[in-house]
Amino acid sequence: MAKKVLVTGFDPFGEDQINPALEAVKQLEGKIIDDVTIVTQEVPTVFHESIKVVTQAIEVHQPDVVICVGQAGGRTQVTPERVAINIDDARIPDNKANQPIDETIIEDGPVAYWSTLPNKRIVHNMRKAGVPSAVSNTAGTFVCNHLFYGVMDYLAKNAPHIRGGFIHIPFLPEQTIHNTAPSLSLDLIVRGLEIAAITAANEKEDIVEIGGAIH
């Protein structure tokens, strides 16, 4: 049966002129792979506005799965996130100069939401295809975690049949010309996200596999 996956990507923020999440999303728009159709949405790197944009896209597209994607500079792998926490603690302002510090995202919301994606199965399939990948246990406290939490809250309350989660990706090589940060090619990132979309659309159950981190 045909499935639909909504993949979202943030616009550039801070001092970056590009965001690998948005560049990857541009490559994914309209792709159909193994009866899985990928639709995409650009997201502003802005607290609260980001949640509104993605929940509206969910209502329009009515996908089976939502995968939000964001940049995590300094990471070496494509990292599906395990958990979103109910806190904003912004190290830098967002793209509209908002900088919430120690503020809850949803008042009276739960402390956290688990991803409902089969994260370890996604990681397993990415690695099998040659894409560096690992499960992450922290999505940070900036707009990425904010959106992740907000989307999971929306799905829990309004569309529990839709599965959702978040994936962080490394810098692109062109973002690291003047520093020593690790990077990953756009082709590998796109391939990883394709695998994530197909896996999440077709596999509800996760696998049990070693992947814990000690830090």
Side-chain angles (χ1 to χ4, degrees):
M1 184 180 295
K3 301 286 182 65
K4 184 187 293 183
V5 178
L6 171 64
V7 183
T8 76
F10 286 105
D11 62 3
F13 65 93
E15 297 180 355
D16 293 317
Q17 300 302 307
I18 60 173
N19 191 321
L22 182 56
E23 298 308 310
V25 159
K26 290 176 183 176
Q27 299 290 320
L28 292 169
E29 172 59 38
K31 281 196 172 185
I32 302 174
I33 308 168
D34 297 338
D35 282 337
V36 176
T37 299
I38 301 176
V39 294
T40 63
Q41 176 66 52
E42 179 177 344
V43 183
T45 306
V46 179
F47 289 99
H48 296 292
E49 188 177 329
S50 56
I51 297 173
K52 183 177 179 180
V53 166
V54 175
T55 54
Q56 286 176 343
I58 293 169
E59 290 169 359
V60 168
H61 293 292
Q62 291 296 305
D64 298 282
V65 178
V66 182
I67 300 175
C68 300
V69 183
Q71 166 185 297
R75 293 194 186 179
T76 59
Q77 301 162 306
V78 178
T79 49
E81 296 292 345
R82 190 191 298 267
V83 62
I85 59 174
N86 191 13
I87 196 73
D88 289 331
D89 192 10
R91 179 178 58 83
I92 60 173
D94 68 11
N95 283 350
K96 287 194 174 177
N98 303 299
Q99 192 173 6
I101 298 172
D102 296 339
E103 296 180 11
T104 56
I105 300 166
I106 304 290
E107 189 173 353
D108 298 324
V111 170
Y113 280 108
W114 298 113
S115 168
T116 51
L117 303 180
N119 281 332
K120 287 197 173 178
R121 190 181 292 274
I122 287 171
V123 167
H124 178 89
N125 291 345
M126 282 195 204
R127 289 175 172 176
K128 192 175 179 180
V131 180
S133 182
V135 173
S136 168
N137 296 303
T138 175
T141 54
F142 193 51
V143 186
C144 289
N145 175 77
H146 177 93
L147 175 62
F148 182 14
Y149 185 93
V151 166
M152 298 312 296
D153 184 75
Y154 171 85
L155 295 179
K157 294 173 179 175
N158 300 284
H161 61 286
I162 300 175
R163 284 169 289 125
F166 197 99
I167 297 178
H168 266 121
I169 58 177
F171 283 137
L172 295 175
E174 53 265 44
Q175 293 177 277
T176 65
I177 292 171
H178 298 294
N179 60 54
T180 58
S183 65
L184 206 60
S185 72
L186 182 59
D187 286 347
L188 272 178
I189 290 171
V190 170
R191 180 64 183 136
L193 295 178
E194 289 174 349
I195 291 167
I198 296 164
T199 303
N202 293 324
E203 302 284 354
K204 292 184 179 181
E205 297 299 322
D206 208 353
I207 58 175
V208 177
E209 191 168 84
I210 292 173
I214 61 172
H215 53 78

